[in-house]
């Protein structure tokens, strides 16, 4: 996105269309692809993955949500919250969530937000786990190699 408004970002169906094209060109499948979002990109993943799960050929199984909690007031998340996408829109997906203890926005992107998000995902059918880095901050996933290593190990161990 180019700004801070919801309209500045792709909607789930638009983003899925773009990613489907790119994944096809790269030979990526839901069995060998890892979807990652950081901050606002992470916050936008929840609706994308729920929408994707409603499609005949879902693209995403393994997801990293990095320092961006689920925001119920995002328009795209309202369908999830209302139950419009079913009781378990994340069934068959695995999530690895990251938070840094020093995140300046703990209730939006930090550990309190990501704990709520982990529980919210699990209540809707996902396998979800959270890695809390007490010494990390909002960008700690990328700047602290042990976090990236832990996430990639999780992905490789849990490929189906």
């Amino acid at each position: 996105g180019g700004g801070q408004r919801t309209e500045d970002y792709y909607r789930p169906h638009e983003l899925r269309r773009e990613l489907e094209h790119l994944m096809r060109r790269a030979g990526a499948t839901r069995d060998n692809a890892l979807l990652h979002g950081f901050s606002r990109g992470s916050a936008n993943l929840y609706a994308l993955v729920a929408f994707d799960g409603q499609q005949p050929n879902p693209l995403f199984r393994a997801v990293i949500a990095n320092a961006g909690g689920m925001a119920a007031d995002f328009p795209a998340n309202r369908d999830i919250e209302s139950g419009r996408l079913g009781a378990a829109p994340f069934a068959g997906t695995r999530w690895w969530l990251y938070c840094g203890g020093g995140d300046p926005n703990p209730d939006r992107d930090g550990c309190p937000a990501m704990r709520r998000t982990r529980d919210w995902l699990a209540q809707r059918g996902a396998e979800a786990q959270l890695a809390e880095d007490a010494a990390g901050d909002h960008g700690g996933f990328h700047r602290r190699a042990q976090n990236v290593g832990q996430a990639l190990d999780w992905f490789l161990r849990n490929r189906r």
Side-chain angles (χ1 to χ4, degrees):
Q4 297 299 317
R5 301 173 325 193
T6 301
E7 302 82 39
D8 293 329
Y9 291 83
Y10 282 118
R11 292 186 180 111
H13 70 279
E14 295 167 329
L15 185 53
R16 186 188 186 279
R17 180 188 65 231
E18 297 299 321
L19 291 171
E20 182 176 26
H21 172 72
L22 292 170
M23 287 174 69
R24 190 177 312 115
R25 284 184 48 201
T29 70
R30 64 180 289 175
D31 294 322
N32 65 14
L34 175 60
L35 181 65
H36 171 257
F38 170 60
S39 194
R40 180 77 55 100
S42 175
N44 280 292
L45 288 181
Y46 308 110
L48 170 64
V49 175
F51 172 77
D52 178 64
Q54 304 296 307
Q55 305 310 301
N57 296 305
L59 302 175
F60 311 113
R61 180 175 289 151
V63 184
I64 295 176
N66 173 2
M70 191 288 296
D73 63 342
F74 269 31
N77 289 339
R78 290 185 189 137
D79 287 341
I80 301 168
E81 283 293 287
S82 71
R84 184 170 173 235
L85 299 179
F90 299 110
T93 63
R94 295 181 321 278
W95 294 72
W96 190 90
L97 290 77
Y98 167 85
C99 66
D103 196 297
N105 295 297
D107 291 327
R108 185 188 71 196
D109 305 315
C111 293
M114 298 310 286
R115 286 182 205 119
R116 285 192 305 274
T117 299
R118 175 200 56 210
D119 297 345
W120 181 84
L121 286 164
Q123 291 165 359
R124 287 156 183 81
E127 292 178 31
Q129 71 179 60
L130 173 62
E132 296 188 32
D133 179 1
D137 60 9
H138 189 63
F141 176 80
H142 299 94
R143 289 192 297 268
R144 295 172 49 83
Q146 71 265 23
N147 295 319
V148 175
Q150 187 180 8
L152 293 175
D153 288 346
W154 165 84
F155 175 67
L156 292 173
R157 275 193 319 272
N158 292 292
R159 286 179 39 185
R160 292 183 184 159

